[in-house]
Amino acid sequence: MEDQVTMTEEELLEDGFGDTPFYHCFIAEIQGATSSDDPKVVGFVMYYFTYDPWVGKQLYLEEFYVMGEYRGLGIGSELLRHLSDLAMKTRCTGMMFVVAENNEPSVQYYKRRGAEDLSQEEGWRLFRFDKDSLVKMGTPAEE
């Protein structure tokens, strides 16, 4: 999947930590092997806020990752707890996210925590306009 990344490190930093942040993050750390070792980042969540005129503010979970060797230790649950607390404090009505259809372990992980699969429950489909489509739609037609 790394070959699909088109962002530079500079763009990522500007978009998240510039004057107008487009996303926010939480990281999960564990203490190093000794007390003098720096903490090690073992997971993270990337999120942002959206708005639905029917229900109001929503927290959108864009990325959620815990390193394989640290899964099953409650780190992911703790990250989701922090996000849930944040969503409640900011008066969000829900948390939205997308899971790849073939990622059954993640589908089950979220369902065990109470997530609804809207593709099955409500029949929603995910669409995207790529950059070329945006350019075509945004460029005035020649007369």
Side-chain angles (χ1 to χ4, degrees), residues 53-75:
W54 291 6
V55 297
K57 289 186 274 187
Q58 300 264 318
L59 187 148
Y60 191 89
L61 174 58
E62 180 62 39
E63 292 288 339
F64 177 38
Y65 180 75
V66 175
M67 293 171 66
E69 62 268 32
Y70 297 98
R71 293 179 186 167
L73 302 176
I75 294 169

PDB file of all heavy atoms in Angstrom, residues 53-75:
ATOM      1  N   PRO A  53     -26.322  17.650   7.902  1.00  0.00           N
ATOM      2  CA  PRO A  53     -27.440  18.543   8.220  1.00  0.00           C
ATOM      3  C   PRO A  53     -28.634  17.818   8.840  1.00  0.00           C
ATOM      4  O   PRO A  53     -29.515  18.460   9.403  1.00  0.00           O
ATOM      5  CB  PRO A  53     -27.806  19.174   6.874  1.00  0.00           C
ATOM      6  CG  PRO A  53     -27.223  18.274   5.844  1.00  0.00           C
ATOM      7  CD  PRO A  53     -26.039  17.605   6.468  1.00  0.00           C
ATOM      8  N   TRP A  54     -28.675  16.504   8.767  1.00  0.00           N
ATOM      9  CA  TRP A  54     -29.773  15.764   9.390  1.00  0.00           C
ATOM     10  C   TRP A  54     -29.521  15.491  10.869  1.00  0.00           C
ATOM     11  O   TRP A  54     -30.446  15.462  11.657  1.00  0.00           O
ATOM     12  CB  TRP A  54     -30.000  14.435   8.681  1.00  0.00           C
ATOM     13  CG  TRP A  54     -30.559  14.562   7.300  1.00  0.00           C
ATOM     14  CD1 TRP A  54     -30.782  15.703   6.584  1.00  0.00           C
ATOM     15  CD2 TRP A  54     -30.946  13.489   6.448  1.00  0.00           C
ATOM     16  NE1 TRP A  54     -31.280  15.424   5.357  1.00  0.00           N
ATOM     17  CE2 TRP A  54     -31.399  14.055   5.242  1.00  0.00           C
ATOM     18  CE3 TRP A  54     -30.952  12.110   6.583  1.00  0.00           C
ATOM     19  CZ2 TRP A  54     -31.864  13.295   4.183  1.00  0.00           C
ATOM     20  CZ3 TRP A  54     -31.405  11.353   5.515  1.00  0.00           C
ATOM     21  CH2 TRP A  54     -31.863  11.945   4.338  1.00  0.00           C
ATOM     22  N   VAL A  55     -28.250  15.269  11.236  1.00  0.00           N
ATOM     23  CA  VAL A  55     -27.974  14.872  12.619  1.00  0.00           C
ATOM     24  C   VAL A  55     -26.915  15.729  13.306  1.00  0.00           C
ATOM     25  O   VAL A  55     -26.674  15.579  14.503  1.00  0.00           O
ATOM     26  CB  VAL A  55     -27.561  13.378  12.716  1.00  0.00           C
ATOM     27  CG1 VAL A  55     -28.685  12.475  12.261  1.00  0.00           C
ATOM     28  CG2 VAL A  55     -26.282  13.096  11.940  1.00  0.00           C
ATOM     29  N   GLY A  56     -26.224  16.613  12.574  1.00  0.00           N
ATOM     30  CA  GLY A  56     -25.248  17.496  13.193  1.00  0.00           C
ATOM     31  C   GLY A  56     -23.820  17.000  13.068  1.00  0.00           C
ATOM     32  O   GLY A  56     -23.457  16.314  12.111  1.00  0.00           O
ATOM     33  N   LYS A  57     -23.008  17.338  14.070  1.00  0.00           N
ATOM     34  CA  LYS A  57     -21.573  17.046  14.037  1.00  0.00           C
ATOM     35  C   LYS A  57     -21.301  15.549  14.102  1.00  0.00           C
ATOM     36  O   LYS A  57     -21.949  14.821  14.851  1.00  0.00           O
ATOM     37  CB  LYS A  57     -20.867  17.720  15.208  1.00  0.00           C
ATOM     38  CG  LYS A  57     -20.779  19.215  15.086  1.00  0.00           C
ATOM     39  CD  LYS A  57     -19.950  19.804  16.184  1.00  0.00           C
ATOM     40  CE  LYS A  57     -20.829  20.044  17.391  1.00  0.00           C
ATOM     41  NZ  LYS A  57     -20.167  20.767  18.464  1.00  0.00           N
ATOM     42  N   GLN A  58     -20.295  15.135  13.341  1.00  0.00           N
ATOM     43  CA  GLN A  58     -19.837  13.750  13.338  1.00  0.00           C
ATOM     44  C   GLN A  58     -18.308  13.752  13.426  1.00  0.00           C
ATOM     45  O   GLN A  58     -17.655  14.636  12.874  1.00  0.00           O
ATOM     46  CB  GLN A  58     -20.226  13.047  12.033  1.00  0.00           C
ATOM     47  CG  GLN A  58     -21.705  12.992  11.761  1.00  0.00           C
ATOM     48  CD  GLN A  58     -22.308  11.686  12.226  1.00  0.00           C
ATOM     49  OE1 GLN A  58     -21.737  10.634  12.035  1.00  0.00           O
ATOM     50  NE2 GLN A  58     -23.462  11.773  12.821  1.00  0.00           N
ATOM     51  N   LEU A  59     -17.769  12.767  14.105  1.00  0.00           N
ATOM     52  CA  LEU A  59     -16.327  12.559  14.096  1.00  0.00           C
ATOM     53  C   LEU A  59     -16.053  11.506  13.036  1.00  0.00           C
ATOM     54  O   LEU A  59     -16.710  10.466  13.011  1.00  0.00           O
ATOM     55  CB  LEU A  59     -15.842  12.080  15.465  1.00  0.00           C
ATOM     56  CG  LEU A  59     -14.330  11.992  15.646  1.00  0.00           C
ATOM     57  CD1 LEU A  59     -13.964  12.283  17.097  1.00  0.00           C
ATOM     58  CD2 LEU A  59     -13.786  10.648  15.232  1.00  0.00           C
ATOM     59  N   TYR A  60     -15.136  11.784  12.126  1.00  0.00           N
ATOM     60  CA  TYR A  60     -14.800  10.824  11.078  1.00  0.00           C
ATOM     61  C   TYR A  60     -13.433  10.225  11.385  1.00  0.00           C
ATOM     62  O   TYR A  60     -12.431  10.944  11.465  1.00  0.00           O
ATOM     63  CB  TYR A  60     -14.782  11.486   9.694  1.00  0.00           C
ATOM     64  CG  TYR A  60     -14.690  10.449   8.610  1.00  0.00           C
ATOM     65  CD1 TYR A  60     -15.847   9.890   8.069  1.00  0.00           C
ATOM     66  CD2 TYR A  60     -13.465   9.990   8.163  1.00  0.00           C
ATOM     67  CE1 TYR A  60     -15.770   8.899   7.097  1.00  0.00           C
ATOM     68  CE2 TYR A  60     -13.379   9.006   7.190  1.00  0.00           C
ATOM     69  CZ  TYR A  60     -14.538   8.470   6.672  1.00  0.00           C
ATOM     70  OH  TYR A  60     -14.460   7.481   5.717  1.00  0.00           O
ATOM     71  N   LEU A  61     -13.409   8.920  11.591  1.00  0.00           N
ATOM     72  CA  LEU A  61     -12.180   8.179  11.859  1.00  0.00           C
ATOM     73  C   LEU A  61     -11.552   7.803  10.526  1.00  0.00           C
ATOM     74  O   LEU A  61     -12.051   6.943   9.811  1.00  0.00           O
ATOM     75  CB  LEU A  61     -12.501   6.925  12.683  1.00  0.00           C
ATOM     76  CG  LEU A  61     -11.362   5.949  12.947  1.00  0.00           C
ATOM     77  CD1 LEU A  61     -10.209   6.620  13.658  1.00  0.00           C
ATOM     78  CD2 LEU A  61     -11.889   4.764  13.763  1.00  0.00           C
ATOM     79  N   GLU A  62     -10.461   8.475  10.181  1.00  0.00           N
ATOM     80  CA  GLU A  62      -9.819   8.270   8.878  1.00  0.00           C
ATOM     81  C   GLU A  62      -8.818   7.118   8.907  1.00  0.00           C
ATOM     82  O   GLU A  62      -8.777   6.312   7.984  1.00  0.00           O
ATOM     83  CB  GLU A  62      -9.115   9.556   8.443  1.00  0.00           C
ATOM     84  CG  GLU A  62      -8.427   9.462   7.107  1.00  0.00           C
ATOM     85  CD  GLU A  62      -9.378   9.170   5.958  1.00  0.00           C
ATOM     86  OE1 GLU A  62     -10.507   9.703   5.938  1.00  0.00           O
ATOM     87  OE2 GLU A  62      -8.987   8.400   5.063  1.00  0.00           O
ATOM     88  N   GLU A  63      -8.000   7.054   9.938  1.00  0.00           N
ATOM     89  CA  GLU A  63      -7.005   5.993  10.068  1.00  0.00           C
ATOM     90  C   GLU A  63      -6.973   5.497  11.503  1.00  0.00           C
ATOM     91  O   GLU A  63      -7.063   6.290  12.439  1.00  0.00           O
ATOM     92  CB  GLU A  63      -5.596   6.494   9.695  1.00  0.00           C
ATOM     93  CG  GLU A  63      -5.420   6.837   8.247  1.00  0.00           C
ATOM     94  CD  GLU A  63      -5.387   5.622   7.332  1.00  0.00           C
ATOM     95  OE1 GLU A  63      -5.114   4.499   7.814  1.00  0.00           O
ATOM     96  OE2 GLU A  63      -5.639   5.804   6.136  1.00  0.00           O
ATOM     97  N   PHE A  64      -6.826   4.181  11.658  1.00  0.00           N
ATOM     98  CA  PHE A  64      -6.758   3.552  12.982  1.00  0.00           C
ATOM     99  C   PHE A  64      -5.794   2.388  12.847  1.00  0.00           C
ATOM    100  O   PHE A  64      -6.048   1.463  12.081  1.00  0.00           O
ATOM    101  CB  PHE A  64      -8.162   3.082  13.375  1.00  0.00           C
ATOM    102  CG  PHE A  64      -8.250   2.350  14.685  1.00  0.00           C
ATOM    103  CD1 PHE A  64      -7.502   2.726  15.778  1.00  0.00           C
ATOM    104  CD2 PHE A  64      -9.124   1.291  14.816  1.00  0.00           C
ATOM    105  CE1 PHE A  64      -7.612   2.056  16.990  1.00  0.00           C
ATOM    106  CE2 PHE A  64      -9.247   0.618  16.018  1.00  0.00           C
ATOM    107  CZ  PHE A  64      -8.491   1.002  17.107  1.00  0.00           C
ATOM    108  N   TYR A  65      -4.682   2.458  13.571  1.00  0.00           N
ATOM    109  CA  TYR A  65      -3.668   1.424  13.406  1.00  0.00           C
ATOM    110  C   TYR A  65      -2.960   1.147  14.727  1.00  0.00           C
ATOM    111  O   TYR A  65      -2.576   2.079  15.440  1.00  0.00           O
ATOM    112  CB  TYR A  65      -2.628   1.859  12.364  1.00  0.00           C
ATOM    113  CG  TYR A  65      -1.556   0.832  12.139  1.00  0.00           C
ATOM    114  CD1 TYR A  65      -1.812  -0.317  11.401  1.00  0.00           C
ATOM    115  CD2 TYR A  65      -0.295   0.998  12.684  1.00  0.00           C
ATOM    116  CE1 TYR A  65      -0.830  -1.280  11.206  1.00  0.00           C
ATOM    117  CE2 TYR A  65       0.694   0.049  12.483  1.00  0.00           C
ATOM    118  CZ  TYR A  65       0.425  -1.086  11.752  1.00  0.00           C
ATOM    119  OH  TYR A  65       1.380  -2.036  11.558  1.00  0.00           O
ATOM    120  N   VAL A  66      -2.796  -0.143  15.016  1.00  0.00           N
ATOM    121  CA  VAL A  66      -1.961  -0.602  16.121  1.00  0.00           C
ATOM    122  C   VAL A  66      -1.008  -1.635  15.523  1.00  0.00           C
ATOM    123  O   VAL A  66      -1.446  -2.537  14.795  1.00  0.00           O
ATOM    124  CB  VAL A  66      -2.799  -1.223  17.259  1.00  0.00           C
ATOM    125  CG1 VAL A  66      -1.893  -1.795  18.348  1.00  0.00           C
ATOM    126  CG2 VAL A  66      -3.760  -0.193  17.859  1.00  0.00           C
ATOM    127  N   MET A  67       0.284  -1.494  15.815  1.00  0.00           N
ATOM    128  CA  MET A  67       1.279  -2.436  15.296  1.00  0.00           C
ATOM    129  C   MET A  67       0.895  -3.864  15.702  1.00  0.00           C
ATOM    130  O   MET A  67       0.431  -4.098  16.821  1.00  0.00           O
ATOM    131  CB  MET A  67       2.667  -2.078  15.829  1.00  0.00           C
ATOM    132  CG  MET A  67       3.177  -0.747  15.299  1.00  0.00           C
ATOM    133  SD  MET A  67       4.698  -0.174  16.108  1.00  0.00           S
ATOM    134  CE  MET A  67       5.850  -1.417  15.585  1.00  0.00           C
ATOM    135  N   GLY A  68       1.109  -4.791  14.769  1.00  0.00           N
ATOM    136  CA  GLY A  68       0.681  -6.177  14.954  1.00  0.00           C
ATOM    137  C   GLY A  68       1.083  -6.794  16.275  1.00  0.00           C
ATOM    138  O   GLY A  68       0.268  -7.447  16.946  1.00  0.00           O
ATOM    139  N   GLU A  69       2.324  -6.606  16.692  1.00  0.00           N
ATOM    140  CA  GLU A  69       2.789  -7.245  17.923  1.00  0.00           C
ATOM    141  C   GLU A  69       2.190  -6.652  19.192  1.00  0.00           C
ATOM    142  O   GLU A  69       2.343  -7.207  20.281  1.00  0.00           O
ATOM    143  CB  GLU A  69       4.323  -7.240  18.004  1.00  0.00           C
ATOM    144  CG  GLU A  69       4.952  -5.867  18.026  1.00  0.00           C
ATOM    145  CD  GLU A  69       5.339  -5.338  16.644  1.00  0.00           C
ATOM    146  OE1 GLU A  69       4.658  -5.671  15.654  1.00  0.00           O
ATOM    147  OE2 GLU A  69       6.309  -4.578  16.565  1.00  0.00           O
ATOM    148  N   TYR A  70       1.462  -5.530  19.058  1.00  0.00           N
ATOM    149  CA  TYR A  70       0.832  -4.896  20.221  1.00  0.00           C
ATOM    150  C   TYR A  70      -0.692  -5.014  20.200  1.00  0.00           C
ATOM    151  O   TYR A  70      -1.370  -4.446  21.050  1.00  0.00           O
ATOM    152  CB  TYR A  70       1.268  -3.424  20.311  1.00  0.00           C
ATOM    153  CG  TYR A  70       2.755  -3.317  20.524  1.00  0.00           C
ATOM    154  CD1 TYR A  70       3.607  -3.071  19.449  1.00  0.00           C
ATOM    155  CD2 TYR A  70       3.306  -3.507  21.781  1.00  0.00           C
ATOM    156  CE1 TYR A  70       4.978  -3.003  19.631  1.00  0.00           C
ATOM    157  CE2 TYR A  70       4.676  -3.439  21.970  1.00  0.00           C
ATOM    158  CZ  TYR A  70       5.504  -3.192  20.895  1.00  0.00           C
ATOM    159  OH  TYR A  70       6.858  -3.130  21.088  1.00  0.00           O
ATOM    160  N   ARG A  71      -1.215  -5.748  19.246  1.00  0.00           N
ATOM    161  CA  ARG A  71      -2.662  -5.967  19.198  1.00  0.00           C
ATOM    162  C   ARG A  71      -3.067  -6.972  20.269  1.00  0.00           C
ATOM    163  O   ARG A  71      -2.287  -7.829  20.665  1.00  0.00           O
ATOM    164  CB  ARG A  71      -3.071  -6.453  17.810  1.00  0.00           C
ATOM    165  CG  ARG A  71      -2.857  -5.373  16.776  1.00  0.00           C
ATOM    166  CD  ARG A  71      -3.229  -5.797  15.389  1.00  0.00           C
ATOM    167  NE  ARG A  71      -2.844  -4.724  14.463  1.00  0.00           N
ATOM    168  CZ  ARG A  71      -2.807  -4.860  13.164  1.00  0.00           C
ATOM    169  NH1 ARG A  71      -3.142  -6.002  12.596  1.00  0.00           N
ATOM    170  NH2 ARG A  71      -2.442  -3.843  12.400  1.00  0.00           N
ATOM    171  N   GLY A  72      -4.300  -6.838  20.732  1.00  0.00           N
ATOM    172  CA  GLY A  72      -4.792  -7.742  21.763  1.00  0.00           C
ATOM    173  C   GLY A  72      -4.419  -7.316  23.171  1.00  0.00           C
ATOM    174  O   GLY A  72      -4.710  -8.027  24.131  1.00  0.00           O
ATOM    175  N   LEU A  73      -3.795  -6.151  23.311  1.00  0.00           N
ATOM    176  CA  LEU A  73      -3.383  -5.663  24.628  1.00  0.00           C
ATOM    177  C   LEU A  73      -4.283  -4.537  25.141  1.00  0.00           C
ATOM    178  O   LEU A  73      -4.002  -3.940  26.174  1.00  0.00           O
ATOM    179  CB  LEU A  73      -1.928  -5.173  24.574  1.00  0.00           C
ATOM    180  CG  LEU A  73      -0.884  -6.199  24.131  1.00  0.00           C
ATOM    181  CD1 LEU A  73       0.493  -5.547  24.018  1.00  0.00           C
ATOM    182  CD2 LEU A  73      -0.852  -7.377  25.097  1.00  0.00           C
ATOM    183  N   GLY A  74      -5.331  -4.214  24.394  1.00  0.00           N
ATOM    184  CA  GLY A  74      -6.248  -3.152  24.799  1.00  0.00           C
ATOM    185  C   GLY A  74      -5.854  -1.767  24.298  1.00  0.00           C
ATOM    186  O   GLY A  74      -6.525  -0.786  24.624  1.00  0.00           O
ATOM    187  N   ILE A  75      -4.798  -1.686  23.514  1.00  0.00           N
ATOM    188  CA  ILE A  75      -4.344  -0.385  23.019  1.00  0.00           C
ATOM    189  C   ILE A  75      -5.374   0.216  22.066  1.00  0.00           C
ATOM    190  O   ILE A  75      -5.717   1.399  22.168  1.00  0.00           O
ATOM    191  CB  ILE A  75      -2.960  -0.516  22.352  1.00  0.00           C
ATOM    192  CG1 ILE A  75      -1.921  -0.903  23.417  1.00  0.00           C
ATOM    193  CG2 ILE A  75      -2.575   0.772  21.629  1.00  0.00           C
ATOM    194  CD1 ILE A  75      -0.576  -1.324  22.858  1.00  0.00           C
TER     195      ILE A  75
END
